[in-house]
């Protein structure tokens, strides 16, 4: 069928295709591949009704820029009158009273929302094994994880259940599953996209991100959903460029790669070889490609885990069984109601992170852990800024290896955390990064190549990614 | 290192509780993670200001206009227990 929005639009406007046909095609794929456990809710009738309306708009020449775009939403993005659970039992029965700003902007351009996608509970995880609704399976190999936390969102695009997905990326949760599923995953600059209506995990890291089959579709979606919003006081009010119209790359940028990443002993052979081939290709094409040292690399993950767990323990305090979601039927008194509801409602990884976060924020340990990590975060940001004074892009593999088997890392939290080694830096420093496909390993599993750019340089980042992906 | 006493103190602050059978595993996991993140102590951060905000926007103001964005009925629709006007919780005071 169609993997590029450009082809869908052409077919729609030449009357070779209707939105109704398109939605039926995706619904069929969702039904046929239910074993991948991707969708938590499918809005079949509604999507078909919407498709019918948009077909009429196309005939009347009043259709928006996303007419024909069928999109899925990670279960952390609010859509009015639709369920939302953050992959957690603690939000059982929750129905959103409003839509996220990103959803409003998609709908205003006639996108069709097809359903709600499985993810790690409150976006905490690297494998989609932490969902209250069970593991999502990678369509490239059903015994393997799709990555996380936006695993359902990635597999939905990989397995043609929708054309694009919106996910969230706090430490790599869009880019890592995109890499594991052979897709394009973008985490924009911190504050580029409004987070109104996004379930909060770690607020100084969280970004909404976009998963697509190609760079062009990703650029178009960013162009539409990014920009100022009166409902999010952290969002950037900088003008949003027409990313989708500046994808032809003609400059000769200077490229750095992290020596520690490419030479890391933890890299699988296939990832190393494919990454080197990409670097060689760039050199042969006449680019400056140089190794840079980043001695702070080993402090990136510890800094990330201290700060994100601290922020999570605070953000997740709102789940107390009072105003929404799950309340333990065993609650006797108020305190007991809080404790039982949280204990029974949250999964093990979420509880572990709340405990860690509460500990590092507790009076006796605040300075030693939390303040210390904030200081190291500044050092990491300054060191990264130094790189972007000399280079336009920083490249590395998206992940140290390809998708691992379900259950392979669940016993060891630190091993699981190490999966995010290369993606976390962009979140710590707030810079944009994209993962693009970079071939497959000996088992046919996709490999990702990550490009990071300086803040608000998405136009160049997308154009360069588009050039490299072709 | 966290011991069982600290674990209980932290759990109380977080309004969580653990089965005694699960405590040993949780304690081991937390200590392993704390041991790992302790490597930050090697980094010289003397004179470094903590990095707190990543957005470049400061003091974003807008007019304080009453919009009544959510009706009472809608605000209550997700409540586990409610009456016509309020969220209900177990009895707080014995009078």
């Amino acid at each position: 069928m169609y993997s590029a929005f450009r082809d869908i639009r052409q077919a729609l406007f030449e009357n070779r295709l209707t939105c109704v046909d398109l939605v039926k095609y995706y619904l069929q794929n969702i039904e046929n591949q239910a074993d991948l456990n991707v969708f938590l809710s499918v809005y079949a009738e509604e999507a078909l009704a919407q498709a019918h309306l948009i077909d009429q708009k196309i005939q009347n020449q009043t259709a928006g820029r996303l007419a024909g775009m069928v999109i899925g939403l990670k279960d952390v993005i609010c859509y009015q009158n639709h369920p939302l659970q953050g992959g957690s039992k603690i939000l059982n029965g929750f129905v959103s009273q409003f839509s996220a700003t990103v959803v409003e902007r998609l709908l205003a351009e006639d996108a069709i929302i097809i359903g709600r996608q499985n993810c790690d509970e409150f976006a905490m995880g690297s494998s989609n094994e932490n969902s209250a609704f069970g593991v999502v399976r990678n369509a490239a190999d059903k015994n393997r994880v799709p990555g996380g936390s936006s695993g359902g969102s990635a597999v939905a695009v990989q397995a043609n259940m929708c054309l694009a997905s919106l996910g969230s990326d706090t430490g790599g949760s869009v880019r890592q599953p995109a890499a594991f599923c052979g897709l394009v995953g973008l985490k924009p600059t911190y504050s580029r996209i409004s987070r109104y209506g996004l379930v909060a995990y770690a607020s100084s890291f969280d970004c909404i991100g976009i998963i697509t089959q190609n760079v062009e579709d990703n650029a178009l979606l960013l162009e539409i959903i990014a920009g100022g919003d009166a409902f999010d006081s952290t969002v950037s009010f900088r003008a949003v460029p027409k990313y989708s119209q500046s994808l032809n790359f003609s400059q000769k940028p200077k490229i750095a790669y992290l020596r520690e990443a490419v030479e890391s002993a933890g890299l699988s052979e296939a990832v190393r070889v494919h990454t080197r081939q990409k670097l060689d290709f760039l050199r042969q094409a006449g680019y400056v490609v140089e190794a840079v040292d980043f001695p702070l690399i080993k402090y990136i993950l510890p800094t990330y885990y201290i700060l994100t767990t601290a922020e999570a323990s605070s953000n997740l305090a709102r789940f107390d069984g009072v105003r929404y979601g799950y309340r333990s039927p065993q609650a006797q008194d108020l305190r007991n109601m809080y404790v039982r509801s949280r204990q029974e409602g949250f999964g093990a990884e979420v509880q572990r992170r709340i405990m860690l976060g509460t500990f590092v924020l507790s009076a006796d340990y605040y300075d030693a852990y939390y303040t210390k990590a904030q200081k190291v975060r500044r050092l990491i940001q300054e060191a990264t800024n130094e790189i972007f004074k000399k280079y336009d892009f920083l490249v590395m593999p998206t992940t140290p290896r390809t998708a691992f088997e379900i259950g392979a890392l669940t016993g060891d939290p630190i091993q699981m955390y190490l999966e995010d080694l290369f993606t976390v830096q962009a979140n710590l420093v707030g810079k944009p990064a994209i993962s693009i496909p970079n071939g497959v390993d000996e088992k046919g599993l996709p490999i990702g190549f990550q490009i990071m750019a300086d803040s608000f340089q998405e136009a160049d980042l997308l154009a360069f990614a588009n050039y490299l992906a072709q | 290192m966290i011991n069982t006493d600290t674990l209980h103190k932290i759990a109380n602050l977080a309004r969580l509780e653990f089965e005694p059978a699960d405590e040993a595993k949780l304690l081991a996991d937390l200590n392993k993670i704390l041991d790992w993140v302790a490597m930050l102590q090697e980094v010289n951060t003397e004179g470094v200001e903590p990095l707190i905000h990543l957005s470049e926007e400061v003091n974003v103001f807008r007019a304080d206009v009453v919009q009544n964005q959510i009706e009472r009925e809608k605000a209550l629709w997700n409540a586990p227990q409610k009456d016509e006007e309020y969220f209900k919780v177990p009895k707080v005071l014995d009078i």
Side-chain angles (χ1 to χ4, degrees):
Chain A
M1 188 76 169
Y2 299 93
S3 67
F5 186 55
R6 172 189 290 273
D7 299 334
I8 290 175
R9 292 283 284 192
Q10 201 176 355
L12 285 172
F13 284 91
E14 290 172 1
N15 293 314
R16 289 183 281 117
L17 176 72
T18 65
C19 290
V20 170
D21 292 338
L22 205 54
V23 169
K24 282 183 177 162
Y25 164 77
Y26 292 125
L27 289 173
Q28 192 62 55
N29 284 342
I30 292 173
E31 200 183 313
N32 294 348
Q33 301 173 96
D35 61 326
L36 299 177
N37 200 22
V38 167
F39 278 91
L40 301 177
S41 304
V42 181
Y43 312 134
E45 277 177 32
E46 218 183 308
L48 282 169
Q50 191 64 17
H52 188 73
L53 276 177
I54 292 166
D55 280 333
Q56 287 174 342
K57 283 191 176 182
I58 290 171
Q59 294 308 317
N60 300 336
Q61 298 187 330
T62 55
R65 286 190 292 164
L66 293 180
M69 176 76 81
V70 178
I71 292 185
L73 300 175
K74 182 180 182 180
D75 191 23
V76 290
I77 296 174
C78 293
Y79 181 17
Q80 189 170 34
N81 299 331
H82 293 77
L84 181 79
Q85 290 197 225
S88 180
K89 193 179 150 188
I90 209 164
L91 277 175
N92 270 351
F94 185 89
V95 175
S96 195
Q97 291 111 327
F98 63 95
S99 287
T101 297
V102 290
V103 171
E104 297 280 6
R105 289 182 183 172
L106 292 176
L107 294 175
E109 291 292 349
D110 290 333
I112 296 169
I113 293 171
I114 198 162
R116 173 173 72 105
Q117 296 158 335
N118 203 348
C119 61
D120 281 304
E121 185 175 5
F122 291 113
M124 297 180 192
S126 310
S127 64
N128 226 298
E129 294 170 289
N130 293 336
S131 167
F133 302 99
V135 64
V136 176
R137 294 173 181 277
N138 193 320
D141 178 347
K142 290 182 188 177
N143 293 318
R144 289 175 188 272
V145 303
S149 63
S150 313
S153 305
V155 177
V157 178
Q158 176 193 32
N160 291 309
M161 300 174 179
C162 54
L163 191 68
S165 297
L166 291 191
S168 62
D169 190 316
T170 303
S173 281
V174 157
R175 289 160 286 150
Q176 187 248 19
F180 278 9
C181 297
L183 302 166
V184 175
L186 172 73
K187 180 207 93 75
T189 308
Y190 182 82
S191 79
R192 182 68 289 188
I193 298 175
S194 166
R195 298 180 295 182
Y196 179 69
L198 171 70
V199 176
Y201 160 18
S203 304
S204 77
F205 296 79
D206 294 342
C207 288
I208 287 177
I210 306 164
I211 299 175
T212 53
Q213 301 257 14
N214 59 60
V215 175
E216 188 177 359
D217 293 356
N218 212 301
L220 177 65
L221 285 168
L222 179 65
E223 182 178 317
I224 286 166
I225 63 176
D229 176 17
F231 291 133
D232 178 355
S233 63
T234 61
V235 76
S236 171
F237 280 83
R238 285 190 190 217
V240 178
K242 300 269 178 231
Y243 302 114
S244 65
Q245 276 150 54
S246 58
L247 288 172
N248 290 324
F249 201 73
S250 53
Q251 307 157 43
K252 283 280 174 201
K254 287 175 77 176
I255 295 149
Y257 68 91
L258 286 193
R259 191 195 310 277
E260 289 89 345
V262 175
E263 290 173 8
S264 155
L267 229 56
S268 83
E269 191 53 27
V271 171
R272 188 193 317 278
V273 167
H274 279 77
T275 305
R276 287 211 171 126
Q277 281 171 354
K278 208 63 155 180
L279 298 177
D280 289 341
F281 163 81
L282 286 168
R283 284 193 191 97
Q284 279 157 19
Y287 293 89
V288 173
V289 180
E290 288 170 356
V292 293
D293 290 306
F294 201 81
L296 290 169
I297 191 168
K298 68 172 178 168
Y299 304 113
I300 285 177
L301 280 169
T303 304
Y304 172 80
Y305 275 95
I306 290 174
L307 296 176
T308 53
T309 55
E311 294 184 23
S313 73
S314 167
N315 273 325
L316 271 59
R318 74 193 64 184
F319 300 104
D320 56 8
V322 175
R323 290 149 300 156
Y324 38 72
Y326 176 79
R327 179 185 293 185
S328 172
Q330 302 181 49
Q332 308 295 327
D333 56 37
L334 191 66
R335 187 188 180 284
N336 193 249
M337 183 198 77
Y338 296 143
V339 172
R340 302 298 297 215
S341 303
R342 287 165 65 78
Q343 180 200 8
E344 293 163 25
F346 288 134
E349 178 63 22
V350 170
Q351 295 195 27
R352 185 156 53 212
R353 294 198 197 188
I354 291 174
M355 288 291 286
L356 193 67
T358 307
F359 176 78
V360 301
L361 289 177
S362 63
D364 292 346
Y365 300 96
Y366 188 93
D367 282 335
Y369 288 96
Y370 185 64
T371 309
K372 181 76 183 182
Q374 288 181 317
K375 289 179 178 176
V376 178
R377 187 180 195 179
R378 182 176 298 280
L379 292 177
I380 291 169
Q381 189 191 48
E382 285 170 355
T384 308
N385 285 340
E386 282 304 310
I387 294 176
F388 286 111
K389 278 184 190 159
K390 282 190 239 157
Y391 300 93
D392 299 289
F393 301 114
L394 177 62
V395 301
M396 64 194 99
T398 311
T399 59
R401 52 188 170 144
T402 53
F404 46 93
E405 287 183 351
I406 291 168
L409 300 179
T410 39
D412 186 345
I414 294 178
Q415 269 308 311
M416 188 70 92
Y417 298 168
L418 289 172
E419 291 302 308
D420 298 330
L421 180 59
F422 302 141
T423 48
V424 160
Q425 184 180 4
N427 301 80
L428 267 180
V429 303
K431 297 196 188 299
I434 193 167
S435 178
I436 57 172
N438 188 22
V440 294
D441 71 4
E442 65 287 352
K443 298 193 189 75
L445 301 169
I447 296 170
F449 186 76
Q450 181 177 237
I451 314 162
M452 196 193 302
D454 208 352
S455 301
F456 296 103
Q457 300 306 307
E458 278 88 352
D460 285 347
L461 177 66
L462 288 160
F464 184 57
N466 192 42
Y467 161 74
L468 267 190
Q470 278 162 4
Chain B
M1 295 289 276
I2 301 183
N3 56 26
T4 310
D5 278 353
T6 316
L7 186 83
H8 290 157
K9 201 178 129 200
I10 299 297
N12 177 46
L13 290 172
R15 295 290 183 271
L16 289 170
E17 220 168 73
F18 300 93
E19 298 296 331
D22 299 333
E23 280 187 1
K25 164 90 171 97
L26 179 66
L27 206 55
D29 281 346
L30 290 176
N31 278 321
K32 209 169 150 187
I33 296 169
L34 286 171
D35 206 35
W36 173 61
V37 302
M39 72 166 88
L40 292 193
Q41 302 307 326
E42 303 161 14
V43 185
N44 180 0
T45 53
E46 190 145 347
V48 177
E49 278 299 303
L51 177 57
I52 298 167
H53 297 295
L54 270 93
S55 174
E56 59 185 10
E57 303 291 323
V58 276
N59 295 342
V60 181
F61 294 118
R62 62 177 158 80
D64 185 15
V65 183
V66 177
Q67 294 187 22
N68 199 15
Q69 289 170 309
I70 186 164
E71 311 84 64
R72 189 200 301 263
E73 189 194 339
K74 218 169 165 183
L76 285 169
W77 87 21
N78 286 308
Q81 222 192 329
K82 62 191 168 190
D83 61 16
E84 295 293 297
E85 294 178 82
Y86 297 102
F87 298 101
K88 286 182 78 176
V89 294
K91 199 172 176 186
V92 181
L93 290 174
D94 276 318
I95 304 170

